[in-house]
Amino acid sequence: MDIVLMGAPGAGKGTQASRLESVLGFKHISTGDVLRAEIASGSELGQQIAQVIDGGDLISDEMMVSILKNVVSGTDKSIIFDGFPRTVAQAEMLNKMLTQLGRKLGKAIEIALPEEEAVKRLSSRKQCKLPGGEVKQIGPDFTLADCQAQGGKIFTRPDDTPEHIRHRFAVYHQQTEPVIRFYRSTGLYAEVNGNAEPQQVFEELLAVLKK
Ligand code: AMP
């Protein structure tokens, strides 16, 4: 059973999806990470993607789905989609893709968080680039001290500046909030309160998944 994890930028989707991956053995697919890996590969496609991401806009639905297809078809584990779908067209394409691959979406869970809290989190968040190139977000599961101990470099994501954060929220309201309404209408929707300690959010997620 695959799962879609939804929520505004900064709601904690990445943190919670990583925990679900380690505890329940899901495959965590963050489309943001998939795109950043394409950029890091130095490909021409990566250069095109970088321009869009750094400005806080969405890459096209067709390009996103074609990149994602390769990742999805490479696993037989249950998947947690983090950061996808971000438009109703992507949600429809996801249904088609999963059916073609003989997979099934079991739940679409929103981590709900007031916008001012999400903006506060994004404005102060930091990343760590490890010597091997892997990027981890600094937080309770990977602290500044962990980063320093492993020889990592601390940096701010180019799209986490105040101006880009504002723009990403505008994009979220306009293009991604309709996805929540889409899943409400399918009966797959569930909501957890994201305005709590990560462990509490995680326990709420586990409870939703048991239902
Ligand atoms: P994230 O790491 O989820 O915050 O994503 C970072 C950026 O990657 C977004 O602001 C978009 O530019 C791009 N991106 C991630 N997922 C998608 C998607 N499903 N569709 C289009 N663009 C995406």
Side-chain angles (χ1 to χ4, degrees):
M1 172 180 97
D2 297 329
I3 293 166
V4 162
L5 211 51
M6 302 179 290
K13 300 183 295 293
T15 302
Q16 297 300 334
S18 292
R19 288 190 179 199
L20 290 170
E21 179 171 63
S22 356
V23 175
L24 298 182
F26 278 87
K27 163 97 177 151
H28 169 198
I29 300 180
S30 150
T31 43
D33 286 350
V34 169
L35 297 173
R36 284 184 287 272
E38 186 64 47
I39 295 171
S41 78
S43 69
E44 205 172 298
L45 176 63
Q47 286 173 22
Q48 286 171 30
I49 292 172
Q51 287 183 354
V52 180
I53 289 198
D54 291 352
D57 286 309
L58 300 184
I59 70 158
S60 77
D61 294 332
E62 290 69 24
M63 194 188 275
M64 184 70 256
V65 171
S66 89
I67 295 172
L68 185 64
K69 226 175 204 170
N70 296 328
V71 189
V72 173
S73 49
T75 186
D76 46 18
K77 289 184 181 175
S78 291
I79 296 172
I80 302 177
F81 292 98
D82 156 17
F84 183 90
R86 262 179 157 93
T87 64
V88 171
Q90 288 183 9
E92 284 163 348
M93 288 167 158
L94 177 64
N95 273 347
K96 237 191 238 162
M97 177 183 15
L98 294 181
T99 308
Q100 276 168 7
L101 296 172
R103 311 184 63 103
K104 196 168 168 12
L105 190 63
K107 281 206 168 22
I109 308 173
E110 178 187 5
I111 303 181
L113 186 69
E115 182 164 331
E116 72 234 44
E117 178 59 29
V119 171
K120 209 157 76 187
R121 288 187 188 177
L122 288 180
S123 309
S124 62
R125 83 177 174 181
K126 294 268 177 274
Q127 317 291 321
C128 171
K129 185 163 189 180
L130 293 170
E134 190 189 354
V135 172
K136 286 186 169 268
Q137 189 163 299
I138 305 287
D141 295 337
F142 190 84
T143 62
L144 267 181
D146 293 330
C147 181
Q148 280 154 351
Q150 293 184 34
K153 266 201 175 146
I154 293 156
F155 70 100
T156 302
R157 263 173 53 172
D159 57 347
D160 276 348
T161 60
E163 177 198 336
H164 288 126
I165 291 170
R166 270 194 302 278
H167 184 61
R168 283 162 68 201
F169 270 93
V171 170
Y172 178 76
H173 291 311
Q174 198 183 16
Q175 304 200 53
T176 308
E177 270 177 356
V179 176
I180 291 174
R181 291 193 284 279
F182 174 90
Y183 283 120
R184 275 185 201 276
S185 72
T186 62
L188 296 176
Y189 177 86
E191 179 183 321
V192 299
N193 173 22
N195 205 3
E197 288 303 312
Q199 183 57 26
Q200 205 177 322
V201 179
F202 184 62
E203 280 161 22
E204 236 195 282
L205 275 170
L206 289 178
V208 165
L209 289 174
K210 273 198 195 131
K211 279 185 195 158

Coordinates of all heavy atoms in Angstrom, one line a residue, residues 9-10 13 30-33 35-36 49 52-61 64-65 68 82-87 90 122 125 137 157 159-160 168 171, ligand 1:
P9 N 5.1 23.6 2.5 CA 6.5 23.6 2.7 C 6.8 23.8 4.2 O 6.2 24.7 4.8 CB 7.0 24.8 1.9 CG 6.0 25.1 0.9 CD 4.7 24.7 1.5
G10 N 7.7 23.0 4.8 CA 8.1 23.2 6.2 C 7.2 22.5 7.2 O 7.4 22.6 8.4
K13 N 7.1 17.1 6.3 CA 6.9 15.8 5.5 C 8.2 15.0 5.4 O 8.2 13.8 5.5 CB 6.5 16.2 4.0 CG 5.2 17.0 4.0 CD 4.8 17.3 2.5 CE 5.7 18.2 1.7 NZ 5.8 19.6 2.2
S30 N 11.2 11.5 -2.1 CA 11.0 12.9 -2.0 C 11.3 13.4 -3.4 O 12.4 13.3 -3.9 CB 11.9 13.5 -1.0 OG 12.3 14.9 -1.4
T31 N 10.3 14.0 -4.1 CA 10.5 14.5 -5.4 C 11.5 15.6 -5.4 O 12.3 15.8 -6.3 CB 9.2 14.9 -6.2 OG1 8.4 15.6 -5.3 CG2 8.5 13.6 -6.7
G32 N 11.5 16.4 -4.3 CA 12.5 17.5 -4.2 C 13.9 16.9 -4.2 O 14.8 17.4 -4.9
D33 N 14.1 15.8 -3.4 CA 15.4 15.2 -3.4 C 15.8 14.6 -4.8 O 16.9 14.7 -5.2 CB 15.5 14.1 -2.3 CG 15.5 14.6 -0.9 OD1 15.7 15.8 -0.8 OD2 15.3 13.8 0.0
L35 N 14.9 15.6 -7.6 CA 15.2 16.7 -8.5 C 16.6 17.3 -8.2 O 17.4 17.6 -9.0 CB 14.2 17.8 -8.5 CG 12.8 17.4 -9.0 CD1 11.7 18.5 -8.8 CD2 12.8 17.0 -10.5
R36 N 16.9 17.4 -6.9 CA 18.2 18.0 -6.4 C 19.3 17.0 -6.8 O 20.4 17.4 -7.2 CB 18.2 18.3 -4.9 CG 17.4 19.6 -4.6 CD 17.5 19.9 -3.1 NE 16.7 19.1 -2.3 CZ 15.4 19.3 -2.1 NH1 14.8 20.4 -2.5 NH2 14.7 18.4 -1.3
I49 N 16.3 22.2 -14.5 CA 15.5 22.1 -13.2 C 15.9 23.1 -12.2 O 15.1 23.7 -11.5 CB 15.7 20.6 -12.7 CG1 15.0 19.6 -13.7 CG2 15.1 20.5 -11.3 CD1 15.3 18.1 -13.3
V52 N 14.3 26.4 -12.3 CA 12.9 26.5 -11.8 C 12.8 26.3 -10.3 O 12.2 27.1 -9.6 CB 12.1 25.3 -12.5 CG1 10.7 25.3 -12.0 CG2 12.2 25.4 -14.0
I53 N 13.6 25.4 -9.7 CA 13.5 25.1 -8.3 C 14.0 26.3 -7.5 O 13.4 26.7 -6.5 CB 14.4 23.9 -7.9 CG1 13.8 22.6 -8.4 CG2 14.6 23.8 -6.4 CD1 14.4 21.4 -7.7
D54 N 15.2 26.9 -8.0 CA 15.8 28.0 -7.2 C 14.8 29.2 -7.1 O 14.9 30.0 -6.2 CB 17.1 28.4 -7.7 CG 18.2 27.3 -7.5 OD1 17.8 26.3 -6.8 OD2 19.3 27.3 -8.0
G55 N 13.9 29.3 -8.1 CA 13.0 30.4 -8.1 C 11.7 30.1 -7.3 O 10.8 30.9 -7.2
G56 N 11.6 28.8 -6.9 CA 10.4 28.4 -6.0 C 9.2 28.0 -6.9 O 8.1 27.8 -6.3
D57 N 9.4 27.8 -8.2 CA 8.2 27.4 -9.0 C 8.2 25.9 -9.1 O 9.2 25.2 -8.7 CB 8.3 28.0 -10.4 CG 8.0 29.5 -10.4 OD1 6.9 29.8 -9.8 OD2 8.8 30.3 -10.9
L58 N 7.2 25.3 -9.7 CA 7.1 23.9 -9.9 C 7.6 23.5 -11.3 O 7.4 24.2 -12.3 CB 5.7 23.4 -9.8 CG 4.9 23.6 -8.5 CD1 3.5 23.0 -8.6 CD2 5.7 23.1 -7.3
I59 N 8.3 22.4 -11.4 CA 8.7 21.9 -12.7 C 7.4 21.3 -13.4 O 6.5 21.0 -12.7 CB 9.9 21.0 -12.7 CG1 9.5 19.6 -12.1 CG2 11.1 21.5 -12.0 CD1 10.5 18.5 -12.6
S60 N 7.5 21.1 -14.7 CA 6.2 20.8 -15.4 C 5.8 19.4 -14.9 O 6.6 18.5 -14.6 CB 6.4 20.8 -16.9 OG 7.1 19.6 -17.3
D61 N 4.4 19.2 -15.0 CA 3.9 17.9 -14.6 C 4.5 16.7 -15.4 O 4.8 15.7 -14.8 CB 2.3 17.9 -14.8 CG 1.7 18.9 -13.8 OD1 2.2 19.2 -12.7 OD2 0.6 19.4 -14.2
M64 N 8.1 16.0 -14.4 CA 8.1 15.4 -13.0 C 7.7 14.0 -13.0 O 8.4 13.1 -12.5 CB 7.1 16.2 -12.1 CG 7.2 15.8 -10.7 SD 8.7 16.3 -9.8 CE 9.6 14.7 -9.7
V65 N 6.6 13.7 -13.7 CA 6.1 12.3 -13.7 C 7.1 11.4 -14.5 O 7.3 10.3 -14.1 CB 4.7 12.2 -14.3 CG1 4.2 10.8 -14.5 CG2 3.7 12.9 -13.4
L68 N 9.9 10.7 -12.2 CA 9.5 9.9 -11.1 C 9.2 8.4 -11.4 O 9.5 7.5 -10.6 CB 8.2 10.5 -10.5 CG 7.6 9.9 -9.2 CD1 8.6 10.1 -8.1 CD2 6.3 10.5 -8.9
D82 N 6.7 12.0 -0.9 CA 6.8 13.2 -0.1 C 7.1 14.4 -1.1 O 8.1 14.4 -1.9 CB 8.0 13.0 0.8 CG 8.7 14.3 1.3 OD1 8.2 15.4 1.1 OD2 9.9 14.1 1.7
G83 N 6.1 15.3 -1.2 CA 6.3 16.4 -2.2 C 5.6 16.1 -3.5 O 5.8 16.9 -4.5
F84 N 4.9 15.1 -3.6 CA 4.2 14.6 -4.8 C 2.9 13.9 -4.4 O 3.0 13.1 -3.5 CB 5.1 13.7 -5.6 CG 4.5 13.3 -6.9 CD1 4.8 14.0 -8.1 CD2 3.7 12.2 -7.0 CE1 4.2 13.6 -9.3 CE2 3.1 11.8 -8.2 CZ 3.4 12.5 -9.3
P85 N 1.8 14.2 -5.1 CA 1.6 15.1 -6.2 C 1.4 16.6 -5.7 O 0.9 16.8 -4.6 CB 0.3 14.7 -6.8 CG -0.4 13.9 -5.7 CD 0.6 13.4 -4.8
R86 N 1.9 17.5 -6.5 CA 1.7 18.9 -6.1 C 0.7 19.7 -7.0 O 0.5 20.9 -6.8 CB 3.1 19.6 -6.3 CG 3.9 19.7 -5.0 CD 5.2 20.4 -5.3 NE 5.9 21.1 -4.3 CZ 6.8 20.5 -3.5 NH1 7.1 19.2 -3.6 NH2 7.5 21.2 -2.6
T87 N 0.1 19.0 -7.9 CA -1.0 19.6 -8.7 C -2.0 18.5 -8.9 O -1.7 17.3 -8.7 CB -0.5 20.0 -10.1 OG1 -0.1 18.8 -10.8 CG2 0.6 21.0 -10.1
Q90 N -1.0 16.0 -11.5 CA -0.1 15.0 -11.0 C -0.8 13.9 -10.2 O -0.4 12.8 -10.3 CB 1.0 15.7 -10.1 CG 2.0 16.5 -10.9 CD 3.1 17.1 -10.0 OE1 3.2 16.7 -8.8 NE2 3.9 18.0 -10.5
L122 N 10.8 27.3 8.0 CA 11.6 27.4 6.7 C 12.7 28.4 6.8 O 13.8 28.2 6.3 CB 10.7 27.7 5.5 CG 9.8 26.6 5.0 CD1 9.0 27.2 3.8 CD2 10.5 25.4 4.6
R125 N 15.7 27.0 8.7 CA 16.2 25.6 8.6 C 17.5 25.6 7.8 O 17.8 26.5 7.0 CB 15.2 24.7 8.0 CG 15.0 24.7 6.5 CD 14.0 23.7 6.1 NE 13.7 23.8 4.7 CZ 12.8 23.1 4.0 NH1 12.1 22.2 4.6 NH2 12.6 23.3 2.7
Q137 N 18.9 17.2 6.2 CA 18.3 18.4 6.9 C 18.7 18.4 8.3 O 18.6 17.3 9.0 CB 16.8 18.4 6.7 CG 16.3 19.8 7.2 CD 14.9 19.9 6.7 OE1 14.6 20.0 5.5 NE2 13.9 20.0 7.6
R157 N 19.2 26.2 1.9 CA 18.7 25.9 0.5 C 18.4 27.2 -0.2 O 17.9 28.2 0.4 CB 17.4 25.1 0.6 CG 17.7 23.6 0.4 CD 16.4 22.8 0.7 NE 15.2 23.2 -0.1 CZ 14.1 22.5 -0.1 NH1 14.0 21.4 0.6 NH2 13.1 22.9 -0.8
D159 N 16.2 28.0 -2.1 CA 14.7 28.4 -2.1 C 14.2 28.6 -0.7 O 13.0 28.8 -0.5 CB 13.9 27.4 -2.9 CG 14.0 26.0 -2.4 OD1 14.9 25.7 -1.6 OD2 13.2 25.1 -2.8
D160 N 15.1 28.7 0.3 CA 14.6 29.0 1.7 C 14.9 30.4 2.1 O 15.0 30.7 3.2 CB 15.3 28.0 2.7 CG 14.6 26.7 2.8 OD1 13.5 26.6 2.3 OD2 15.1 25.7 3.4
R168 N 6.9 30.4 -2.7 CA 6.5 29.0 -2.6 C 5.1 28.8 -2.0 O 4.4 27.9 -2.3 CB 7.6 28.2 -1.9 CG 8.8 27.9 -2.8 CD 10.0 27.6 -1.9 NE 9.9 26.3 -1.3 CZ 10.6 25.9 -0.2 NH1 11.5 26.8 0.3 NH2 10.5 24.8 0.3
V171 N 2.5 29.6 -4.6 CA 2.4 28.4 -5.5 C 1.6 27.3 -4.8 O 0.8 26.6 -5.3 CB 3.8 27.9 -5.9 CG1 3.7 26.6 -6.6 CG2 4.5 28.9 -6.8
Ligands
AMP1 P1 10.7 20.2 -1.7 O1 12.1 19.6 -1.4 O2 9.6 19.2 -1.7 O3 10.4 21.5 -0.9 O4 10.8 20.6 -3.3 C1 11.7 21.6 -3.7 C2 11.3 22.1 -5.1 O5 11.4 21.1 -6.0 C3 9.9 22.7 -5.2 O6 9.8 24.0 -4.8 C4 9.7 22.6 -6.7 O7 10.4 23.6 -7.4 C5 10.4 21.2 -7.0 N1 9.4 20.1 -6.9 C6 9.4 19.1 -5.9 N2 8.4 18.3 -6.1 C7 7.7 18.7 -7.2 C8 6.6 18.2 -7.9 N3 5.9 17.2 -7.4 N4 6.2 18.9 -9.0 C9 6.9 20.0 -9.4 N5 8.0 20.5 -8.8 C10 8.4 19.8 -7.7

